[in-house]
Amino acid sequence: AAEHLGIGDGDEVWLESPVGKIKVMARLNPGAMPHVVNIPANLGHTAYGRWAKDIGVNPMRIAADEYDRLAGFSAPGATRVRVSKA
């Protein structure tokens, strides 16, 4: 999917959901499921001193308020995103 979009390892990309948009660096992994974006949650800080402030971006900013009725809890991992080269 990344190749089809012209995205290579290390390229900056936009991830856009119905909630918002963030810019991140693409890291391609041949072991990842096709057509799935994997990104660690709760990274990126806007505070915490000079060593952490404004480092990274928190993907939870664009996570939709999805709910898994069967399991009975929030399901932010079900958020669909549009990926485009920055």
Side-chain angles (χ1 to χ4, degrees):
E3 183 180 331
H4 177 72
L5 295 171
I7 296 171
D9 195 50
D11 288 348
E12 287 192 324
V13 297
W14 286 107
L15 298 180
E16 185 176 2
S17 78
V19 179
K21 185 176 178 178
I22 58 174
K23 187 175 6 175
V24 297
M25 181 177 38
R27 300 302 295 177
L28 304 183
N29 182 339
M33 183 178 247
H35 304 286
V36 173
V37 174
N38 297 287
I39 185 166
N42 298 317
L43 294 178
H45 300 285
T46 57
Y48 301 117
R50 67 180 174 166
W51 300 110
K53 184 177 180 182
D54 299 326
I55 301 296
V57 63
N58 188 342
M60 299 308 286
R61 290 180 27 207
I62 64 167
D65 188 19
E66 299 288 339
Y67 186 77
D68 183 334
R69 292 182 188 276
L70 183 63
F73 57 84
S74 179
T79 303
R80 292 178 177 257
V81 295
R82 174 178 287 127
V83 180
S84 59
K85 199 166 181 177

Coordinates of all heavy atoms in Angstrom, one line a residue:
A1 N 0.8 -1.2 0.0 CA 0.0 0.0 0.0 C 0.9 1.3 0.0 O 0.6 2.2 -0.7 CB -0.9 0.0 1.2
A2 N 2.0 1.2 0.8 CA 2.9 2.4 0.8 C 3.5 2.7 -0.5 O 3.6 3.8 -1.0 CB 3.9 2.2 1.9
E3 N 3.9 1.6 -1.2 CA 4.5 1.7 -2.5 C 3.5 2.3 -3.5 O 3.8 3.2 -4.3 CB 5.0 0.4 -3.0 CG 5.7 0.4 -4.4 CD 6.1 -1.0 -4.8 OE1 6.4 -1.8 -4.0 OE2 6.2 -1.2 -6.0
H4 N 2.3 1.9 -3.4 CA 1.2 2.4 -4.3 C 1.0 3.9 -4.1 O 0.7 4.7 -5.0 CB -0.1 1.7 -4.1 CG -1.2 2.2 -4.9 ND1 -1.4 2.0 -6.2 CD2 -2.3 2.9 -4.5 CE1 -2.5 2.6 -6.6 NE2 -3.1 3.1 -5.6
L5 N 1.2 4.4 -2.8 CA 1.0 5.8 -2.5 C 2.3 6.6 -2.7 O 2.3 7.8 -2.5 CB 0.5 5.9 -1.0 CG -0.8 5.4 -0.7 CD1 -1.1 5.4 0.8 CD2 -1.9 6.2 -1.4
G6 N 3.4 5.9 -3.1 CA 4.6 6.6 -3.3 C 5.3 7.0 -2.0 O 6.1 7.9 -2.0
I7 N 5.1 6.2 -1.0 CA 5.7 6.5 0.3 C 6.8 5.5 0.6 O 6.6 4.3 0.4 CB 4.6 6.3 1.4 CG1 3.5 7.4 1.2 CG2 5.2 6.4 2.8 CD1 2.3 7.2 2.1
G8 N 7.9 6.0 1.0 CA 9.1 5.2 1.3 C 9.4 5.3 2.8 O 8.9 6.1 3.5
D9 N 10.3 4.4 3.2 CA 10.7 4.4 4.6 C 11.4 5.7 4.9 O 12.3 6.1 4.2 CB 11.7 3.2 4.8 CG 11.9 2.9 6.3 OD1 10.9 2.7 7.0 OD2 13.1 2.8 6.7
G10 N 10.9 6.3 6.0 CA 11.5 7.6 6.4 C 10.8 8.8 5.9 O 11.1 10.0 6.3
D11 N 9.9 8.7 4.9 CA 9.1 9.8 4.4 C 8.1 10.3 5.4 O 7.6 9.6 6.3 CB 8.3 9.4 3.2 CG 9.1 9.1 1.9 OD1 10.3 9.4 2.0 OD2 8.6 8.5 1.0
E12 N 7.9 11.6 5.4 CA 6.9 12.2 6.2 C 5.5 12.0 5.5 O 5.4 12.2 4.3 CB 7.1 13.7 6.4 CG 8.3 14.0 7.4 CD 8.4 15.4 7.8 OE1 8.1 16.3 7.0 OE2 8.7 15.7 8.9
V13 N 4.5 11.6 6.4 CA 3.2 11.4 5.9 C 2.2 12.1 6.8 O 2.4 12.3 7.9 CB 2.9 9.9 5.8 CG1 3.8 9.2 4.8 CG2 3.0 9.2 7.1
W14 N 1.0 12.4 6.2 CA -0.1 12.8 7.0 C -1.0 11.7 7.3 O -1.3 10.9 6.4 CB -0.9 13.9 6.2 CG -0.2 15.2 6.0 CD1 0.4 15.7 4.9 CD2 -0.1 16.2 7.1 NE1 0.9 17.0 5.2 CE2 0.6 17.3 6.5 CE3 -0.5 16.3 8.4 CZ2 0.9 18.4 7.3 CZ3 -0.2 17.4 9.1 CH2 0.4 18.5 8.6
L15 N -1.5 11.6 8.5 CA -2.6 10.7 8.9 C -3.8 11.5 9.2 O -3.7 12.3 10.1 CB -2.2 9.8 10.1 CG -0.9 8.9 10.0 CD1 -0.7 8.2 11.2 CD2 -1.1 8.0 8.8
E16 N -4.9 11.3 8.5 CA -6.1 12.1 8.7 C -7.3 11.2 9.1 O -7.5 10.2 8.4 CB -6.4 12.9 7.5 CG -7.5 13.8 7.6 CD -7.7 14.7 6.3 OE1 -7.0 14.5 5.4 OE2 -8.6 15.5 6.4
S17 N -7.9 11.5 10.2 CA -9.1 10.8 10.6 C -10.3 11.8 10.6 O -10.1 13.0 10.4 CB -8.9 10.2 12.0 OG -9.0 11.2 13.0
P18 N -11.5 11.3 10.9 CA -12.6 12.3 11.0 C -12.4 13.3 12.2 O -13.0 14.3 12.2 CB -13.8 11.4 11.3 CG -13.4 10.1 10.8 CD -11.9 9.9 11.0
V19 N -11.5 13.0 13.1 CA -11.3 13.8 14.2 C -10.2 14.9 14.0 O -10.2 16.0 14.6 CB -10.9 13.0 15.5 CG1 -10.6 13.8 16.7 CG2 -12.0 12.0 15.7
G20 N -9.1 14.5 13.3 CA -8.0 15.5 13.1 C -7.0 14.9 12.1 O -7.2 13.9 11.4
K21 N -5.8 15.6 12.2 CA -4.7 15.3 11.2 C -3.4 15.5 11.9 O -3.2 16.4 12.6 CB -4.9 16.3 10.0 CG -3.9 16.1 8.9 CD -4.3 17.1 7.8 CE -3.4 17.0 6.6 NZ -3.8 17.9 5.5
I22 N -2.5 14.5 11.7 CA -1.1 14.6 12.3 C -0.1 14.3 11.2 O -0.4 13.5 10.3 CB -0.9 13.7 13.5 CG1 -1.2 12.3 13.2 CG2 -1.8 14.2 14.7 CD1 -0.9 11.3 14.3
K23 N 1.1 14.8 11.4 CA 2.2 14.5 10.5 C 3.2 13.6 11.2 O 3.6 13.9 12.4 CB 2.9 15.7 10.0 CG 3.9 15.4 8.9 CD 4.7 16.5 8.2 CE 4.5 17.9 8.6 NZ 5.4 18.8 7.8
V24 N 3.6 12.4 10.6 CA 4.5 11.5 11.3 C 5.5 11.0 10.2 O 5.3 11.2 9.0 CB 3.8 10.3 11.9 CG1 2.9 10.7 13.0 CG2 3.0 9.5 10.8
M25 N 6.5 10.3 10.7 CA 7.5 9.7 9.8 C 7.1 8.2 9.5 O 6.9 7.5 10.5 CB 8.9 9.8 10.3 CG 9.9 9.2 9.4 SD 11.7 9.2 9.9 CE 11.6 9.0 11.6
A26 N 7.1 7.8 8.3 CA 6.7 6.5 7.9 C 7.9 5.5 8.2 O 9.0 5.8 7.8 CB 6.3 6.4 6.4
R27 N 7.6 4.4 8.8 CA 8.6 3.4 9.0 C 8.0 2.1 8.4 O 7.0 1.6 9.0 CB 9.0 3.2 10.5 CG 9.6 4.4 11.1 CD 10.8 4.9 10.5 NE 11.9 4.0 10.6 CZ 13.1 4.1 10.1 NH1 13.3 5.2 9.4 NH2 14.0 3.2 10.2
L28 N 8.4 1.7 7.3 CA 7.8 0.5 6.7 C 8.3 -0.8 7.3 O 9.5 -0.9 7.6 CB 8.1 0.5 5.2 CG 7.7 1.8 4.4 CD1 8.0 1.7 2.9 CD2 6.3 2.1 4.7
N29 N 7.4 -1.7 7.5 CA 7.7 -3.0 8.2 C 7.1 -4.1 7.4 O 5.8 -4.2 7.3 CB 7.1 -3.0 9.6 CG 7.5 -4.2 10.4 OD1 7.7 -5.3 9.8 ND2 7.4 -4.1 11.7
P30 N 7.9 -5.0 6.8 CA 7.3 -6.0 6.0 C 6.4 -7.0 6.8 O 5.6 -7.7 6.2 CB 8.5 -6.8 5.4 CG 9.7 -6.4 6.3 CD 9.3 -5.0 6.9
G31 N 6.5 -7.0 8.1 CA 5.7 -7.9 8.9 C 4.4 -7.3 9.3 O 3.6 -8.0 9.9
A32 N 4.1 -6.1 8.9 CA 2.8 -5.4 9.3 C 1.7 -5.9 8.4 O 2.0 -6.3 7.2 CB 3.0 -3.9 9.2
M33 N 0.5 -5.9 8.9 CA -0.6 -6.4 8.2 C -0.9 -5.3 7.0 O -0.8 -4.1 7.3 CB -1.8 -6.4 9.1 CG -3.1 -6.9 8.4 SD -4.4 -7.0 9.6 CE -4.6 -8.7 9.7
P34 N -1.2 -5.8 5.8 CA -1.4 -4.9 4.7 C -2.6 -3.9 5.0 O -3.6 -4.3 5.6 CB -1.7 -5.8 3.5 CG -1.1 -7.1 3.9 CD -1.2 -7.2 5.4
H35 N -2.4 -2.7 4.5 CA -3.5 -1.7 4.7 C -3.8 -1.3 6.1 O -4.9 -0.9 6.4 CB -4.7 -2.1 3.9 CG -4.5 -2.4 2.4 ND1 -4.2 -1.4 1.5 CD2 -4.4 -3.5 1.8 CE1 -4.0 -1.9 0.4 NE2 -4.1 -3.2 0.5
V36 N -2.9 -1.6 7.0 CA -3.1 -1.2 8.4 C -1.9 -0.3 8.9 O -0.8 -0.6 8.6 CB -3.1 -2.5 9.3 CG1 -3.1 -2.1 10.8 CG2 -4.3 -3.3 9.0
V37 N -2.3 0.8 9.5 CA -1.3 1.7 10.1 C -1.1 1.4 11.5 O -2.0 1.3 12.3 CB -1.8 3.2 10.0 CG1 -0.8 4.1 10.7 CG2 -2.0 3.6 8.5
N38 N 0.2 1.1 11.9 CA 0.5 0.8 13.3 C 1.3 2.0 13.8 O 2.3 2.4 13.2 CB 1.4 -0.4 13.3 CG 0.7 -1.7 12.9 OD1 -0.2 -2.2 13.5 ND2 1.1 -2.1 11.7
I39 N 0.9 2.5 15.0 CA 1.6 3.6 15.6 C 1.5 3.5 17.1 O 0.4 3.3 17.6 CB 1.0 5.0 15.0 CG1 1.8 6.2 15.6 CG2 -0.4 5.1 15.3 CD1 1.5 7.5 14.8
P40 N 2.6 3.6 17.8 CA 2.5 3.5 19.3 C 1.6 4.6 19.9 O 1.7 5.8 19.5 CB 3.9 3.7 19.7 CG 4.8 3.5 18.5 CD 3.9 3.9 17.4
A41 N 0.8 4.2 20.8 CA -0.1 5.2 21.5 C 0.6 6.0 22.6 O 1.6 5.5 23.1 CB -1.3 4.5 22.1
N42 N 0.1 7.2 22.8 CA 0.5 8.1 23.9 C 2.0 8.5 23.8 O 2.6 8.8 24.8 CB 0.2 7.4 25.2 CG -1.2 7.2 25.4 OD1 -2.1 8.0 25.1 ND2 -1.6 6.0 25.9
L43 N 2.5 8.6 22.6 CA 3.8 9.3 22.4 C 3.5 10.7 22.1 O 2.4 11.1 21.7 CB 4.6 8.6 21.3 CG 5.0 7.2 21.6 CD1 5.8 6.6 20.4 CD2 5.9 7.1 22.8
G44 N 4.6 11.5 22.1 CA 4.4 12.9 21.8 C 4.0 13.7 23.0 O 3.1 13.4 23.7
H45 N 4.7 14.7 23.4 CA 4.5 15.5 24.5 C 4.4 17.0 24.2 O 5.1 17.5 23.3 CB 5.6 15.3 25.6 CG 5.7 13.9 26.0 ND1 4.7 13.3 26.9 CD2 6.5 12.9 25.8 CE1 5.1 12.1 27.1 NE2 6.2 11.8 26.4
T46 N 3.6 17.7 24.9 CA 3.5 19.2 24.7 C 4.1 19.9 26.0 O 4.2 21.1 26.0 CB 2.1 19.6 24.6 OG1 1.3 19.2 25.7 CG2 1.5 19.1 23.3
A47 N 4.5 19.1 26.9 CA 5.1 19.7 28.2 C 6.2 18.7 28.6 O 6.9 18.1 27.8 CB 4.1 19.8 29.2
Y48 N 6.5 18.7 29.9 CA 7.4 17.8 30.6 C 8.9 18.3 30.4 O 9.8 17.5 30.4 CB 7.3 16.3 30.2 CG 6.0 15.7 30.4 CD1 5.1 15.3 29.4 CD2 5.5 15.6 31.8 CE1 3.9 14.8 29.7 CE2 4.3 15.1 32.0 CZ 3.5 14.7 31.0 OH 2.2 14.2 31.3
G49 N 9.1 19.6 30.3 CA 10.5 20.1 30.3 C 11.1 20.1 28.9 O 10.6 19.6 27.9
R50 N 12.3 20.6 28.9 CA 13.0 20.8 27.6 C 13.4 19.6 26.9 O 13.6 19.6 25.7 CB 14.3 21.7 27.9 CG 15.3 21.0 28.7 CD 16.5 21.9 28.9 NE 17.5 21.3 29.8 CZ 18.7 21.7 29.9 NH1 19.1 22.7 29.3 NH2 19.5 21.1 30.8
W51 N 13.5 18.4 27.6 CA 13.9 17.2 26.9 C 12.7 16.5 26.2 O 12.9 15.7 25.3 CB 14.6 16.3 27.9 CG 15.8 16.9 28.4 CD1 16.0 17.3 29.7 CD2 17.0 17.2 27.8 NE1 17.2 17.8 29.9 CE2 17.9 17.8 28.7 CE3 17.5 17.1 26.5 CZ2 19.2 18.3 28.4 CZ3 18.7 17.5 26.1 CH2 19.6 18.1 27.1
A52 N 11.5 16.7 26.7 CA 10.4 16.0 26.1 C 9.4 17.0 25.4 O 8.6 16.5 24.5 CB 9.6 15.3 27.2
K53 N 9.4 18.2 25.7 CA 8.4 19.2 25.1 C 8.6 19.2 23.6 O 9.6 19.3 23.0 CB 8.6 20.6 25.6 CG 7.6 21.5 25.1 CD 7.7 22.9 25.8 CE 6.6 23.8 25.2 NZ 6.7 25.1 25.6
D54 N 7.4 19.1 22.9 CA 7.3 19.1 21.4 C 8.1 18.1 20.7 O 8.5 18.2 19.6 CB 7.7 20.5 20.9 CG 6.7 21.6 21.5 OD1 5.5 21.3 21.7 OD2 7.2 22.7 21.7
I55 N 8.3 16.9 21.4 CA 9.0 15.8 20.7 C 7.9 14.8 20.4 O 7.2 14.3 21.2 CB 10.0 15.1 21.7 CG1 11.1 16.1 22.1 CG2 10.6 13.9 21.0 CD1 11.9 16.7 21.0
G56 N 7.8 14.4 19.1 CA 6.8 13.4 18.7 C 5.4 14.0 18.6 O 5.2 15.2 18.9
V57 N 4.5 13.1 18.3 CA 3.1 13.5 18.2 C 2.3 12.3 18.8 O 2.6 11.1 18.6 CB 2.7 13.8 16.7 CG1 2.8 12.6 15.8 CG2 1.3 14.3 16.7
N58 N 1.2 12.6 19.5 CA 0.4 11.6 20.1 C -0.7 11.2 19.2 O -1.6 12.0 18.9 CB -0.2 12.2 21.5 CG -0.9 11.1 22.3 OD1 -1.3 10.1 21.7 ND2 -1.1 11.4 23.5
P59 N -0.7 10.0 18.7 CA -1.8 9.6 17.8 C -3.2 9.5 18.4 O -4.2 9.5 17.7 CB -1.3 8.2 17.4 CG -0.5 7.7 18.5 CD 0.2 8.9 19.0
M60 N -3.3 9.6 19.7 CA -4.6 9.6 20.3 C -5.3 10.9 20.0 O -6.6 11.0 20.2 CB -4.5 9.4 21.9 CG -3.8 8.1 22.2 SD -4.6 6.6 21.5 CE -6.1 6.5 22.4
R61 N -4.6 11.9 19.5 CA -5.3 13.2 19.1 C -6.2 13.0 17.9 O -7.1 13.8 17.8 CB -4.2 14.2 18.7 CG -3.4 14.7 19.9 CD -2.4 15.8 19.6 NE -2.7 16.5 18.4 CZ -1.8 17.1 17.6 NH1 -0.5 17.0 17.9 NH2 -2.1 17.8 16.5
I62 N -6.0 11.9 17.1 CA -6.9 11.7 16.0 C -7.7 10.4 16.1 O -8.4 10.0 15.2 CB -6.0 11.7 14.7 CG1 -5.1 10.5 14.6 CG2 -5.3 13.0 14.4 CD1 -4.5 10.2 13.2
A63 N -7.6 9.8 17.3 CA -8.4 8.6 17.5 C -9.9 8.9 17.6 O -10.3 9.8 18.4 CB -7.9 7.8 18.7
A64 N -10.7 8.2 16.9 CA -12.2 8.5 16.9 C -12.8 7.8 18.2 O -12.2 6.9 18.8 CB -12.9 7.9 15.7
D65 N -13.9 8.3 18.6 CA -14.6 7.8 19.8 C -15.4 6.6 19.4 O -16.6 6.6 19.4 CB -15.5 8.9 20.4 CG -16.0 8.5 21.8 OD1 -15.5 7.5 22.4 OD2 -17.0 9.1 22.2
E66 N -14.7 5.5 19.0 CA -15.3 4.2 18.7 C -15.6 3.4 19.9 O -14.9 3.5 20.9 CB -14.4 3.4 17.7 CG -14.1 4.1 16.4 CD -15.2 4.2 15.5 OE1 -16.2 3.4 15.6 OE2 -15.2 5.1 14.6
Y67 N -16.6 2.6 19.8 CA -17.0 1.7 21.0 C -17.3 0.3 20.5 O -18.0 0.1 19.5 CB -18.2 2.3 21.6 CG -18.6 1.6 22.9 CD1 -18.0 1.9 24.1 CD2 -19.7 0.7 22.9 CE1 -18.3 1.2 25.3 CE2 -20.1 0.1 24.1 CZ -19.4 0.4 25.3 OH -19.7 -0.3 26.4
D68 N -16.7 -0.6 21.2 CA -16.9 -2.1 20.9 C -18.0 -2.6 21.7 O -17.8 -2.8 22.9 CB -15.6 -2.8 21.1 CG -15.7 -4.3 20.8 OD1 -16.8 -4.8 20.7 OD2 -14.6 -4.9 20.5
R69 N -19.2 -2.7 21.2 CA -20.4 -3.1 21.9 C -20.2 -4.6 22.5 O -20.7 -4.9 23.6 CB -21.6 -3.0 21.1 CG -22.0 -1.6 20.8 CD -23.3 -1.6 20.0 NE -23.6 -0.2 19.5 CZ -24.1 0.7 20.2 NH1 -24.5 0.5 21.4 NH2 -24.4 1.9 19.6
L70 N -19.6 -5.4 21.7 CA -19.4 -6.8 22.2 C -18.5 -6.9 23.4 O -18.9 -7.6 24.4 CB -18.9 -7.7 21.0 CG -18.7 -9.1 21.3 CD1 -20.1 -9.8 21.6 CD2 -18.1 -9.8 20.2
A71 N -17.4 -6.2 23.4 CA -16.4 -6.3 24.5 C -16.9 -5.3 25.6 O -16.5 -5.5 26.7 CB -15.0 -5.9 24.0
G72 N -17.6 -4.2 25.2 CA -18.0 -3.3 26.2 C -17.0 -2.2 26.6 O -17.0 -1.7 27.7
F73 N -16.1 -1.9 25.7 CA -15.2 -0.8 26.0 C -14.8 0.0 24.8 O -15.2 -0.3 23.7 CB -13.9 -1.4 26.7 CG -13.2 -2.4 25.9 CD1 -12.3 -2.1 24.9 CD2 -13.5 -3.8 26.1 CE1 -11.7 -3.0 24.1 CE2 -12.8 -4.8 25.3 CZ -11.9 -4.4 24.4
S74 N -14.1 1.1 25.0 CA -13.6 2.0 23.9 C -12.7 1.2 23.0 O -11.9 0.3 23.4 CB -12.9 3.2 24.6 OG -12.4 4.0 23.6
A75 N -12.8 1.6 21.7 CA -11.9 0.9 20.7 C -11.3 1.9 19.7 O -11.6 2.0 18.6 CB -12.8 -0.1 19.9
P76 N -10.3 2.7 20.3 CA -9.7 3.7 19.4 C -8.9 3.1 18.3 O -8.7 3.8 17.3 CB -8.8 4.5 20.4 CG -8.6 3.6 21.5 CD -9.8 2.7 21.6
G77 N -8.5 1.9 18.4 CA -7.7 1.2 17.3 C -8.6 0.9 16.1 O -8.0 0.6 15.1
A78 N -9.9 1.1 16.2 CA -10.7 0.9 15.0 C -10.9 2.2 14.2 O -11.6 2.2 13.2 CB -12.1 0.5 15.5
T79 N -10.1 3.2 14.5 CA -10.2 4.5 13.8 C -9.6 4.3 12.4 O -8.5 3.8 12.2 CB -9.4 5.6 14.5 OG1 -9.9 5.8 15.8 CG2 -9.5 6.9 13.8
R80 N -10.4 4.7 11.4 CA -9.9 4.7 10.0 C -9.2 6.0 9.7 O -9.7 7.0 10.1 CB -11.0 4.4 9.0 CG -11.6 3.1 9.2 CD -12.8 2.9 8.2 NE -13.3 1.6 8.3 CZ -13.1 0.6 7.4 NH1 -12.3 0.9 6.3 NH2 -13.6 -0.6 7.5
V81 N -8.1 5.9 9.0 CA -7.3 7.1 8.6 C -7.0 7.1 7.1 O -6.9 6.0 6.5 CB -6.0 7.2 9.4 CG1 -6.2 7.4 10.9 CG2 -5.1 6.0 9.2
R82 N -6.8 8.3 6.6 CA -6.4 8.5 5.2 C -4.9 8.8 5.3 O -4.5 9.7 6.1 CB -7.1 9.6 4.6 CG -6.6 9.9 3.2 CD -7.4 11.0 2.5 NE -8.7 10.4 2.1 CZ -9.9 10.9 2.5 NH1 -10.0 12.0 3.2 NH2 -11.0 10.3 2.1
V83 N -4.1 8.1 4.5 CA -2.6 8.3 4.5 C -2.2 9.1 3.2 O -2.6 8.6 2.2 CB -1.8 7.0 4.6 CG1 -0.4 7.2 4.6 CG2 -2.3 6.2 5.8
S84 N -1.4 10.1 3.4 CA -0.9 10.8 2.2 C 0.5 11.4 2.5 O 0.8 11.6 3.6 CB -1.9 12.0 1.8 OG -2.0 12.9 2.9
K85 N 1.3 11.4 1.4 CA 2.6 11.9 1.6 C 2.6 13.4 1.9 O 1.8 14.2 1.3 CB 3.4 11.7 0.3 CG 4.9 11.7 0.4 CD 5.5 11.1 -0.8 CE 7.0 11.2 -0.6 NZ 7.7 10.6 -1.7
A86 N 3.4 13.8 2.9 CA 3.5 15.2 3.3 C 4.3 16.0 2.3 O 5.1 15.6 1.6 CB 4.1 15.3 4.7

